[in-house]
């Protein structure tokens, strides 16, 4: 199968369906459980997507549902792949509805990753992720998204000095800073390096990004922890100032319930000139997802233990958990102007958001994709 040709055709079909991603989501409103997204949360989601092209649904999207509060809402993250119709939307200065500051930042990253032999592309591929956070929508109507690059596989491995590649991390960091229009900061760079140096073998840096609307700070996600103890010890080595005992206790309880069996973990920290920030996001993935097993999208059972463990610990709203388990598995046929589409959705990972003094939120992130080629 020629995936480039199929993606182009799929993007074109979605562009005929709706004038924006927001309009496309509005058309398929009935596909989303009210317990997870509705009311004011749904309105904010559509506002987030109103300036984005409908063609983005042809590539992986993620919705993050907050599970500790009854109020329905969702974060939104979308993928921009170089050479796509969606990428051209941001690169074209005359694109309608474009927000100049965001578009310029995205175009900067796409330009640097475009050449096949570009050093940055060798490390991070040609994909940019835009991360729209619901909490930002509470402060301003349409905040600029977070900008993230995702280093490929083992291009930024952890381990000893011989394994680590600080020069490659520097290339990714510089590209992100240029996109945000930030100058280099030596103290910030040292703290980024401290997080990277805290990684041991069989772990890696899997994401580097910034949230320009939130102020200065670089977020790095370290991936590959197989045990709760490993994730907690990494956070301590990296200099996270939060309550390590609170993080360790939550993970230990889930582990004792068997909720983390077959799971891998990622730790997301923020570095600035002042040090490592107080927020920590702990991502829980299935091993099938991490290692891109062909069965990861089809098999829901490997999530059952974690879902049951969170319910038994009283960590989430039971109604939301029930809706998530029932909805996030499988495919749904939709009929559009240009023919049938399939909406794929699958629980991708669960994120524990730790503040300095303890657990703040739990988000369930669902992978979504719309396609017209499965017919």
């Amino acid at each position: 199968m020629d995936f480039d040709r199929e993606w182009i055709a799929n993007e074109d079909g979605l562009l005929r369906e709706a004038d924006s991603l927001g309009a496309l989501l509005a058309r398929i409103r009935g596909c989303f459980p009210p317990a997870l997204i509705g009311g004011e949360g749904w309105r904010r989601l559509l506002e987030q997507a109103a300036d984005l092209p409908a063609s983005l649904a042809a590539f992986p999207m993620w919705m993050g549902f907050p599970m500790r509060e009854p109020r329905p809402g969702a974060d939104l993250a979308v993928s921009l792949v170089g050479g796509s119709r969606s990428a051209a939307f941001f690169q074209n200065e005359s694109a309608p509805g474009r927000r100049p500051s965001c578009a310029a930042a995205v175009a900067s990253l796409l330009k640097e990753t475009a050449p096949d032999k570009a050093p940055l592309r060798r490390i991070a591929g040609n994909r940019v992720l835009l991360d729209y956070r619901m909490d930002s929508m509470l402060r301003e109507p349409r905040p600029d998204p977070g900008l993230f690059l995702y280093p490929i596989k083992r291009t930024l491995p952890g381990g000893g000095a011989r394994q680590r590649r600080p020069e490659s991390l520097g290339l990714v960091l510089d590209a992100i800073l240029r996109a945000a229009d930030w100058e280099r900061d030596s103290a910030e760079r040292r703290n980024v390096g401290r997080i990277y140096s805290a990684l041991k073998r069989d772990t890696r840096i899997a994401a580097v990004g910034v949230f320009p609307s939130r102020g200065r700070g670089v977020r790095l996600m370290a991936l590959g922890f197989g045990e709760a103890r490993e994730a907690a010890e990494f956070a301590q080595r990296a200099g996270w100032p939060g309550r390590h005992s609170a993080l360790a206790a939550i993970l230990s309880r889930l582990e004792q319930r068997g909720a983390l069996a077959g799971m891998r973990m990622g730790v997301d920290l923020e570095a600035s000139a002042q040090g490592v920030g107080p927020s920590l996001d702990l991502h829980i993935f299935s091993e099938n997802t991490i290692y891109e097993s062909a069965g990861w999208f089809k098999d829901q059972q490997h999530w059952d233990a974690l879902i049951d463990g969170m319910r038994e610990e009283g960590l989430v709203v039971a109604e939301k958990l029930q809706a998530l388990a029932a909805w996030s598995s499988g495919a749904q046929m939709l009929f559009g102007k240009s023919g049938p589409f399939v909406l794929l959705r699958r629980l991708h990972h669960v994120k524990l958001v730790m503040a300095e003094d303890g657990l703040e939120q739990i988000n369930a992130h669902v992978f979504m994709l719309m396609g017209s080629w499965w017919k």
Side-chain angles (χ1 to χ4, degrees):
M1 178 183 289
D2 185 339
F3 283 102
D4 288 340
R5 182 177 299 175
E6 296 290 349
W7 274 334
I8 290 171
N10 198 34
E11 283 190 288
D12 288 345
L14 290 168
L15 288 171
R16 290 192 294 271
E17 291 297 319
D19 294 334
S20 70
L21 181 60
L24 181 65
L25 292 175
R27 287 188 56 190
I28 62 172
R29 172 68 184 94
C31 297
F32 299 90
L36 295 178
I37 178 69
E40 182 66 11
W42 179 253
R43 184 190 67 79
R44 290 202 305 273
L45 176 66
L46 296 186
E47 283 187 1
Q48 286 177 325
D51 289 342
L52 301 174
S55 54
L56 280 168
F59 301 98
M61 301 188 298
W62 292 264
M63 284 189 181
F65 302 105
M67 304 297 288
R68 281 177 66 80
E69 56 186 64
R71 177 169 53 92
D75 296 337
L76 174 69
V78 297
S79 300
L80 276 173
V81 177
S84 65
R85 299 283 194 266
S86 302
F89 175 88
F90 284 88
Q91 292 170 309
N92 184 353
E93 291 185 356
S94 62
R98 180 174 62 87
R99 298 194 64 210
S101 59
C102 175
V106 172
S108 168
L109 292 173
L110 290 172
K111 181 179 180 180
E112 290 201 52
T113 57
D116 288 338
K117 296 184 179 180
L120 183 61
R121 180 163 179 167
R122 175 181 56 81
I123 301 166
N126 67 337
R127 179 172 71 117
V128 178
L129 186 129
L130 306 184
D131 190 347
Y132 295 84
R133 295 290 176 91
M134 182 183 64
D135 57 350
S136 296
M137 293 290 287
L138 298 176
R139 297 192 294 269
E140 54 180 303
R142 294 187 186 181
D144 285 335
L147 304 167
F148 284 82
L149 291 175
Y150 281 73
I152 302 168
K153 301 285 186 179
R154 303 287 299 178
T155 55
L156 292 178
R162 292 183 179 180
Q163 286 77 39
R164 290 194 300 270
R165 298 171 187 169
E167 69 286 348
S168 294
L169 178 57
L171 284 173
V172 177
L173 178 58
D174 287 342
I176 286 288
L177 294 181
R178 283 192 292 270
D181 198 24
W182 293 346
E183 297 292 332
R184 278 191 180 197
D185 185 292
S186 58
E188 176 183 78
R189 210 172 191 85
R190 283 194 299 273
N191 290 319
V192 167
R194 178 181 181 181
I195 293 174
Y196 187 30
S197 297
L199 286 173
K200 292 187 175 181
R201 292 180 64 88
D202 299 323
T203 59
R204 62 187 174 95
I205 296 294
V208 181
V210 294
F211 284 92
S213 295
R214 294 182 168 191
R216 183 90 188 213
V218 178
R219 295 207 70 95
L220 297 95
M221 185 173 76
L223 188 62
F225 305 100
E227 297 181 4
R229 173 185 54 79
E230 295 173 355
E233 289 176 353
F234 163 74
Q236 189 167 19
R237 288 195 306 272
W240 179 54
R243 286 179 56 203
H244 298 273
S245 59
L247 174 62
I250 292 171
L251 292 177
S252 177
R253 291 198 304 272
L254 289 173
E255 202 165 45
Q256 288 173 9
R257 292 186 182 277
L260 300 181
M263 297 292 171
R264 305 289 287 184
M265 282 161 276
V267 177
D268 187 330
L269 297 169
E270 184 174 79
S272 69
Q274 288 70 47
V276 176
S279 66
L280 178 150
D281 295 345
L282 185 123
H283 302 252
I284 304 174
F285 300 86
S286 78
E287 288 187 341
N288 288 337
T289 307
I290 292 296
Y291 296 121
E292 298 182 356
S293 165
W296 85 265
F297 196 84
K298 299 177 182 178
D299 186 8
Q300 173 76 10
Q301 293 180 354
H302 54 254
W303 289 107
D304 290 347
L306 179 60
I307 288 173
D308 290 344
M310 290 191 298
R311 180 189 295 114
E312 292 164 3
E313 284 292 322
L315 296 175
V316 294
V317 176
E319 181 186 9
K320 282 193 166 186
L321 201 61
Q322 182 178 359
L324 176 75
W327 174 76
S328 64
S329 175
Q332 182 173 354
M333 180 69 75
L334 305 171
F335 294 92
K337 300 174 184 177
S338 56
F341 284 83
V342 173
L343 173 65
L344 299 176
R345 52 185 186 258
R346 162 58 81 200
L347 183 59
H348 187 264
H349 68 278
V350 171
K351 182 173 74 174
L352 277 61
V353 181
M354 304 293 297
E356 194 165 12
D357 57 352
L359 181 65
E360 183 174 80
Q361 184 57 269
I362 294 179
N363 291 340
H365 290 258
V366 173
F367 168 100
M368 296 175 58
L369 185 70
M370 285 187 69
S372 57
W373 59 84
W374 297 285
K375 55 183 179 180

